Amino acid sequence: MAILMRIRGCAAVAAALMATGCDLVREPTVIDSLEHPATVHAILRAGDDTVRVLISRARALNDFDMVPVTGAEVWIHGPSGPVALRETGPGMGPCTGGVPVSPAESPGDAEGAGCYIGVLPTTVRSGERYGLRIRLPSGELVVGETYVPIPPTVSLNSASRLVLRTGPDGWVDPPVVRMMWSRGPDAAALEFDVGLGVAYAGGDVVPGAWCVVSASPYPFLTYLFGRRDPAGEIELRVYGAACEVMPDPTDPGRVETVHWDSVSVTVHVAAADTAYRDYVENRFDNVRPWPRAAAGLEGAVGVFGAVAVTEVPLMIVRENP
Amino acid sequence: MITLAMLLIGLAGGVVHGTVRADSTMEPIAYALIEVERLGRRVVADERGYYVLADLPPGTWTVRFTAIGYRAREVDVEIGEGQKVRLDIALQWTPVQLAGLKVSAVGQSAASVVTAGPPAARVDGPSLSIVPGLAEADVFRALETLPSVAAMSDFSSAFYVRGGAPDQNLILLDGAPLFNPFHLGGVFAAIDPSAIATVDVLPGAFPASAGDRMSSVISLNTRDGGRDRIRGNGAIGLISSRASVDGPLPGGKGSYLLSLRRTYVDLFTDLAYELDLIPVTVPYAFTDGLLKLTHDIGTGGSVTASLYADREAVRFRREMVIEDGTDARFNWGSYAATLEYRQPLGGTWHGKLRGAWSAFRGDFQLWERRYYGPDEPTPDDAPTAVFEHTLDAFTHMRDVVAGADLTWHGRSHRLGLGFQLDAYLFDHRVGPEDHALRHAVRPFERTDRVTTLAGYVEDEWAPTASLRLRGGVRVLHAGDRGTVWMPRLGARYDLGSGFALNLGAGRYAQVMHSLRFEEAVFAGLVAYDMLGAVRPGERMPTTEDLVLGLEWHGTGTAFRIDGYLKRTADLLLLPLPDDPVNAPLVVPAGRTRAYARARGVEATLRHRRGEAEISASYTLAFAEIEQDGVRYIPRYDRRHTVDLSAVLPLGRRGLFSARLVAATGQPFTPATGRARFLHYDPVTGRYHPIGSNVLLLGEHNSERLPSYLRLDVAVRKEYDKSWFGGVKITPYLQVLNVLNSQNVLAANPNQQYAPTYRAVNEYFPQLPFLPTFGVEWRF
């Protein structure tokens, strides 16, 4: 009996203790006082005479929401003197190539553009220094400076014609092209980008078709080579390509696969200045320290940077078309 | 010159010297107090019970021996002019002594009576099992009850002492420096608590004899083992079992102690897996062991040899490797060996020679099944996939130590001098370049070899019965890394009525630094460290401190308050992380020089009544680091900490203990803004809407986590059983975090998705409510 009493006592204590705890993790707490600083996108490309500067602010209506900052005064200071940029619309389209930046529910799109465009007296020149000066509608001053790098040198170890062979289960022996590159001392990093391809069938361009090339390292991702690598090489292994066309422009949701004999694709190798490199790193992170979220800028977050692009054309040919 | 002067001062009188031991086991009693009241003379025995009463006038004197937990004893000694009397004494253990947590620096401290400067905090071995631990009694967790010592998290036993990082702590096991003496990433100390006799913690104002780290010296002194008969004890816990045995060596002039511990989670889960009861095993195991031999040599001399090893391993079963596509072989652990020879020399001199070898080695190999091809692999492709070596890492840290100490005991002086040679090797390799854990540990190879030579001289002088002064200097020479002179000062003044003032100051240096990224959030999860040496030609980091303290001892009550100021120069730290939550834990290079400041107040009140003891401590701490022009509070800072503990009798031979800790939350880096970065396409020169909003982090560590609260309780009761000729069994139940406080390890600023799209702080938890139990036994 005494033992039973003792067991009951122990069980009661254990039950009481167990009852106190179940919720292990503290519930998240809302951060209720976030600032939404002006975000500037201003990247110069060597060889261009047109400069595009996009000024916006993030919002929290959804994951992607941003509103344009209209009414700013924007100047680019180059070797030929200052050039005032003009705000243009509709919306941010001129800066984004027409791709909608914010979902339709963003009222900011209708209120203004946020895209400022200017034409320089001469093209953006490698080896030159450029300045940015923005007076925001709120009176705040944003300034920045960048140095335009020299385009990288890229050579191939083989012909630029890559032959894709097919076996019973698909592509076999993916062709490899090795690209040797070197960059100038002013380029902080290089970015490789495999663009969309152009489809050919019977020797002619397939109208309206675009091709996605399957390549390794992964296609369409950015590769930044560190600041301490003045030269190096990258192997591009091509597994195949898929080409599609939109048969009815009024129905953008419908696409059809098209047959191709060959695909013409361009690998873009961009030399980037320090600000552009930092900006790319900022873009990939979910959180950034505030001071370092401004690349080449003071007074706002974002980027004022420069790139110089070298193009490497490749032709991918199907062995048995 | 000083030595000569001391010799002249002390040669005239007689000398009584010897060793104080426990009468039952004949083990030495550390820090016993020896007094000749009529002469107002008091000395304290060293950690091996050796004492010297020098320069006694001729006559018959009553010498009184006292030690915590032992019955005081008085012996009349007749001594002639210049006579040297050897008096080894045995004290009787007081059986009514409650095995509560005894921290002698605030109790009736023998050491504090005769040590100039802020005394060490001492925790005795039996007390270690009283503090509730995670499934196991734990040496390091027990030390966290001291107000100077803080832990980063519930999961890591690494110490942060008065604003210093863990690499600034010197952990000694019988004089051998230990690297990473942890199990399970730091959840447990890798040392059997039943093998420990005393733990001394010096959180600052060290004497010149103390070793070369900047923040603290923690000395784990193991038991010798009984010289009268064989004894054994051990425990069976949820995670592991331990057993130790000690007894006399043949001839009666020595003793041995053997302690072993092993986990059995791997064995149990392997068995359950074999029986098809569980789908996976826990492929982790740890073991640790200690062997210590002590033997008397000549007249009053002794030799002690210790061997220590701890091992941990992760190895997957073959079936799981095939099923999961991952194979791991991780083996790591610490080893140490010490040899020490002590010899009284002519009564007033005492010499000590020691050699030690200590190492931490780890080998981490990982293979993962990879498949290359144009498409995703199908189950049919699995046989053609290959296992790639995705981690090849190795670490080896070693210290070979040789040293000697010589102490001269005069009437009012105690002069010490000595040297220590340390030959360090820090050898690390983590690869390949794209290894599987590269987000936590950057790939690197680094080998540092450095030899340091330290020497010291120090005198402790008692010009009056109430004043003791200590002054000395330590020199650390590290070849082309420079030489650092480190003055050390201490003073103690008895104000009367139980009050005493302590003052200490000093300079400290070390040649090594951590390769951990202390500001990475998850560095707080793991206690293991990888060390490197200061580069040749660079300055060693140095710390200077000033400690002022007040003590009061009443009947059964003790109070102590210490205030400290501390500054550190030439710390080698990594630049602040962009994203502390995702920052790598180990980064081998890229450190810049930083400066740290810390200040604080630590107060402890302890009261004992009968068999019950309660204590309360409060710590107010400010720590700050200045690096690259930025000032920040380090992640491990806690501004306020309150620690309440109680040990109460529970019926006959039972014990209830509880510990409540409340503390300010640690700092973290908050999100203060939101932005959207678009993708720039160098081909079209346009900005494309790829990616979503990002949070912008504000000033580093500028906000604090929710405050910390944890209540642990334990009950234990001893029973006599007649099994195997008589065994004492002590079952125990511990409950950690009884209140299930949702304590926070770290905050992760993040954005929620639909429908709210709010920015929130998500929290990583600390230990939840966790009951554990086990049984201790001894014979």
Side-chain angles (χ1 to χ4, degrees), chain A residues 43-52 76 79 117-126 130 148 151 305-309 311, chain B residues 680-687:
Chain A
I43 295 168
L44 306 181
R45 187 171 62 168
D48 283 357
D49 60 358
T50 302
V51 178
R52 293 175 179 82
I76 293 287
I117 293 181
V119 179
L120 304 181
T122 60
T123 58
V124 173
R125 292 200 297 250
S126 291
Y130 289 80
V148 183
V307 295
V309 181
E311 296 184 347
Chain B
Y680 176 74
D681 183 356
V683 180
T684 62
R686 302 297 206 280
Y687 309 102

Side-chain angles (χ1 to χ4, degrees), chain A residues 30-97:
Chain A
V30 176
I31 305 169
D32 49 12
S33 58
L34 284 181
E35 293 182 44
H36 295 99
T39 307
V40 173
H41 288 85
I43 295 168
L44 306 181
R45 187 171 62 168
D48 283 357
D49 60 358
T50 302
V51 178
R52 293 175 179 82
V53 175
L54 181 62
I55 310 175
S56 59
R57 292 183 193 272
R59 286 195 311 193
L61 294 178
N62 56 53
D63 277 358
F64 311 103
D65 200 30
M66 56 191 282
V67 291
V69 174
T70 65
E73 299 168 14
V74 183
W75 296 272
I76 293 287
H77 296 256
S80 309
V83 172
L85 275 61
R86 187 172 49 85
E87 188 173 9
T88 182
M92 304 181 200
C95 281
T96 61

Side-chain angles (χ1 to χ4, degrees), chain A residues 134-165:
Chain A
I134 299 172
R135 176 73 67 184
L136 295 171
S138 55
E140 297 158 282
L141 187 64
V142 180
V143 294
E145 190 176 77
T146 187
Y147 182 87
V148 183
I150 295 167
T153 305
V154 182
S155 59
L156 305 180
N157 72 329
S158 61
S160 59
R161 187 169 179 273
L162 303 173
V163 179
L164 281 171
R165 296 184 177 83

